[in-house]
Amino acid sequence: MAASMDQNMPGSILQNNGVIVKQIDDIKGRGVFAGKNFQENDVLFRETPIVCAQFLWNDSYRYSACEFCMRSLETADKMAQRLSGNSSLVLPHPECCEVKQLQHTRCPQCQVAYCSSECQDKAKNAYHEVLCMGQSPPSPKHPLTILQDAWKSMHYPPESASITLIAKMIASIKQSRNKDDTIAQFNQFCQVPVNSEKQLAHKLLGEKFQGQLDILQGLLTNALFESCIETWFTADGLRRVFALIGMNGQGIGTSSLSVYVHNCDALNIPDDEREQLDSFIDQLYIDMEKESGSFLNCEGSGLYSLQSCCNHSCVANAEVRFNDGNSTLTVVALRDIEEGQEICINYLDECTRESSRHSRQKFLRENYLFECDCDKCKDQCDDPDETSSEEEEEDEDGMEEDAS
């Protein structure tokens, strides 16, 4: 299923209730299949990432997360106050907040924060010895500082990838006691043809991606060069790494406030108190959206061995969730799944899922390089090739900006 891992390397299948990875064909590649019957809401598997990283802009905007597992470090109160712009806000039922601040630790040198000493030790053993910048705040002349500043100057939010993810990949190889096995962990992910790498890199890095790629290549080489993966430090090699992330990266969002709300929903309280609490939470989200927009979570991305083998369907029978409040991923059945049936997830965001077939196919071609042939797309194959109204409005806005 998943290749063996160096013991210093994060990433493991925490729970597998009977799913099997099989090769489908040369076009679709691998897929994940049910090894037994599952019922709706069954957990199919749980998995930690081989590597994950918070987006740099997300971190800069004070979304405080554990450097290793991305668990939100703010209390629910503090997060709600920041996102709503109301510093005097006090949340009811403080017992529903799970943040354990007394367990939080920091690297004694660079002061990077962790949710626990366990995460700190795992990070140190996996990659942090290489990435530790030795002081806080880090020297502006440190090669990693220069690399991060360059990334933020060329890749504004919302981010679709992070140079930190690539840095952690390289650092984990540099620290590994068995470099070949660690490299194999990254080579297992879906690769794309050479002529498609430019398309994916362009999508992740923007219009001036070639110039940006040249800058990143030089800065990355200066900061983290490793001879056993020297091809990663060439323009073609770095583009290949970005394409790998583009094809396989899973978005991660964590929030101590979301955990708090989930726990509030589970409270056994009188109906009148429930009504007041629900009304308070609804208004809180309205206030936060006015103040902070839709970006409410600690956001980043990660690479997962088993989840990356799950193919897409616009009518997916399974869903990725982050039930643990950190980067641990849970895949849950959305309906009953029979033994032998392929387990598919939806690669589209919430808005795009409701778009026209033409819009969905356009998104999948541009971001994942394939045409979807799921039942929904087949049923809509005779629909006119028209984009959804939301996409048309975005295109019109873009044309107006270009003309100004």
Side-chain angles (χ1 to χ4, degrees), residues 117-344:
S117 57
E118 180 182 7
C119 275
Q120 182 178 353
D121 289 343
K122 287 180 178 178
K124 180 180 179 181
N125 291 334
Y127 56 78
H128 188 67
E129 287 184 354
V130 169
L131 297 183
C132 181
M133 289 192 266
Q135 65 184 66
S136 179
S139 167
K141 296 181 179 180
H142 194 288
L144 286 172
T145 305
I146 296 171
L147 176 66
Q148 292 174 358
D149 288 345
W151 175 260
K152 287 194 289 185
S153 71
M154 65 179 61
H155 197 48
Y156 293 101
E159 292 173 270
S160 52
S162 177
I163 198 65
T164 310
L165 193 64
I166 295 176
K168 285 187 177 181
M169 293 165 68
I170 295 169
S172 65
I173 293 170
K174 292 175 76 73
Q175 277 192 218
S176 177
R177 291 198 292 267
N178 191 327
K179 298 184 188 303
D180 289 341
D181 279 359
T182 308
I183 294 170
Q185 281 295 295
F186 298 120
N187 287 338
Q188 73 172 308
F189 290 103
C190 175
Q191 307 288 323
V192 297
V194 173
N195 60 0
S196 299
E197 290 170 355
K198 184 175 181 179
Q199 178 180 339
L200 286 176
H202 184 282
K203 189 73 178 177
L204 290 174
L205 294 175
E207 292 296 328
K208 301 177 181 178
F209 85 99
Q210 187 56 57
Q212 295 176 353
L213 198 68
D214 291 341
I215 293 170
L216 290 173
Q217 174 198 344
L219 296 177
L220 197 64
T221 300
N222 189 44
L224 292 167
F225 182 77
E226 171 60 42
S227 59
C228 68
I229 48 170
E230 60 181 346
T231 57
W232 287 25
F233 298 91
T234 65
D236 288 343
L238 184 54
R239 186 168 58 232
R240 193 166 301 119
V241 174
F242 271 112
L244 182 151
I245 292 172
M247 285 292 289
N248 300 277
Q250 167 66 49
I252 301 169
T254 67
S255 167
S256 56
L257 184 59
S258 292
V259 173
Y260 163 84
V261 171
H262 176 77
N263 290 338
C264 283
D265 289 342
L267 288 173
N268 184 14
I269 53 179
D271 290 345
D272 58 340
E273 189 176 346
R274 166 59 60 194
E275 186 176 346
Q276 290 179 358
L277 180 59
D278 289 347
S279 178
F280 174 87
I281 291 173
D282 289 344
Q283 185 61 49
L284 174 60
Y285 274 97
I286 292 172
D287 294 342
M288 290 191 301
E289 186 171 359
K290 286 181 180 178
E291 178 71 19
S292 301
S294 59
F295 298 101
L296 304 181
N297 297 333
C298 300
E299 295 184 342
S301 61
L303 294 172
Y304 297 80
S305 295
L306 186 51
Q307 173 272 339
S308 68
C309 297
C310 292
N311 287 311
H312 164 84
S313 171
C314 296
V315 282
N317 57 11
E319 180 178 69
V320 172
R321 299 175 185 172
F322 290 92
N323 294 336
D324 291 27
N326 58 16
S327 59
T328 297
L329 172 152
T330 302
V331 174
V332 179
L334 293 176
R335 55 181 178 273
D336 292 353
I337 302 174
E338 296 182 358
E339 181 179 355
Q341 188 176 356
E342 185 176 7
I343 294 166
C344 293

Side-chain angles (χ1 to χ4, degrees), residues 79-87 89 284 287-288 291-292:
M79 178 171 272
Q81 290 167 6
R82 175 174 57 82
L83 293 173
S84 67
N86 182 358
S87 60
L89 178 68
L284 174 60
D287 294 342
M288 290 191 301
E291 178 71 19
S292 301

